[in-house]
Amino acid sequence: MQVIHLDCVESHHSFRVLLQSMSRPGKVFNLPTPPVDDHDSLVDVLKAILDPQVSYCLLEEDQRLEEQVQFQTGARLTTPEQADFLIASAGCSHGKLSLAKRGRLEFPNEGATIVYVVERLSEESADGVELTGPGIKDKARINIEGLAAGELKELKHVNREFPLGVDSIYLDRSGRLTSIPRSANIGGH
């Protein structure tokens, strides 16, 4: 008889949601498990994308989160320049987004991914960021409350030489997420 661990099933569901969000930039998706505390959704997403073969960098010092990530994923903690994943648990990269790996022409998939925790995500906001590109019919608008000023401008800058760049994931405190892959065009920033 095969026993399937519930955490493994939830991680697979979260990974599927992440894949959907990367293929449909600007669309907001719900994670399968509603969060109980501030770290729940973030750790759930990190369990889906981190493993002992990849590295990450916490852009805010948070001993509890670091311990949870280490225990749940086995991923290696490193510097922003070397990390496969950057984690901005307070909606700000503190200027370190510009240090992130952007891949090489031979291997653009070596670019980093940044995960932002923000206050609230909503679609089709008149004052939100406009996205165009693959996976978007005409254009999409997304409002990202709690993202530090200048982050989208910096993201646009690091992604100016497609296919090189950084993918980004935005996770709000209610367990919703959206993504802006490096292939998406960010308007108005």
Side-chain angles (χ1 to χ4, degrees), residues 53-55 76 78-86 97 99-114 158-159 162-167 182:
Q53 305 304 311
V54 299
S55 59
R76 298 177 325 263
T78 190
T79 64
E81 299 87 352
Q82 297 174 336
D84 298 309
F85 295 89
L86 297 129
L97 180 58
L99 304 174
K101 298 187 305 184
R102 298 177 196 167
R104 300 175 285 151
L105 283 177
E106 312 82 50
F107 299 102
N109 60 321
E110 291 178 348
T113 298
I114 186 165
V158 299
N159 289 343
F162 183 78
L164 306 181
V166 175
D167 294 321
R182 63 181 168 263

Side-chain angles (χ1 to χ4, degrees), residues 38 89-91 116-121 144-147 171-176:
D38 282 349
S89 60
Y116 289 100
V117 177
V118 298
E119 289 302 317
R120 186 171 177 272
L121 297 168
I144 307 171
E145 294 176 29
L147 184 66
L171 175 66
D172 77 10
R173 304 217 181 263
S174 298
R176 294 182 304 248

Side-chain angles (χ1 to χ4, degrees), residues 11-73:
S11 291
H12 286 296
H13 288 302
S14 295
F15 187 72
R16 289 182 62 109
V17 170
L18 279 166
L19 287 178
Q20 288 177 328
S21 75
M22 279 291 180
S23 66
R24 300 198 51 212
K27 176 130 179 71
V28 176
F29 294 87
N30 291 311
L31 286 170
T33 307
V36 174
D37 73 22
D38 282 349
H39 288 155
D40 281 353
S41 293
L42 178 57
V43 171
D44 192 33
V45 167
L46 295 177
K47 285 189 315 188
I49 58 178
L50 299 181
D51 64 37
Q53 305 304 311
V54 299
S55 59
Y56 73 99
C57 178
L58 294 177
L59 300 178
E60 289 90 17
E61 191 171 316
D62 186 331
Q63 188 65 37
R64 181 175 160 240
L65 179 59
E66 182 180 334
E67 289 170 4
Q68 283 182 294
V69 172
Q70 288 290 302
F71 177 75
Q72 296 286 342
T73 71

Side-chain angles (χ1 to χ4, degrees), residues 110-173:
E110 291 178 348
T113 298
I114 186 165
V115 179
Y116 289 100
V117 177
V118 298
E119 289 302 317
R120 186 171 177 272
L121 297 168
S122 57
E123 293 178 36
E124 299 301 326
S125 173
D127 59 345
V129 62
E130 183 178 286
L131 302 174
T132 58
I136 303 169
K137 183 177 180 182
D138 300 322
K139 60 185 173 183
R141 284 200 171 274
I142 185 78
N143 190 34
I144 307 171
E145 294 176 29
L147 184 66
E151 290 295 318
L152 290 174
K153 184 177 181 179
E154 184 63 24
L155 183 65
K156 186 175 180 176
H157 179 75
V158 299
N159 289 343
R160 71 189 179 282
E161 297 176 356
F162 183 78
L164 306 181
V166 175
D167 294 321
S168 56
I169 299 168
Y170 304 84
L171 175 66
D172 77 10
R173 304 217 181 263

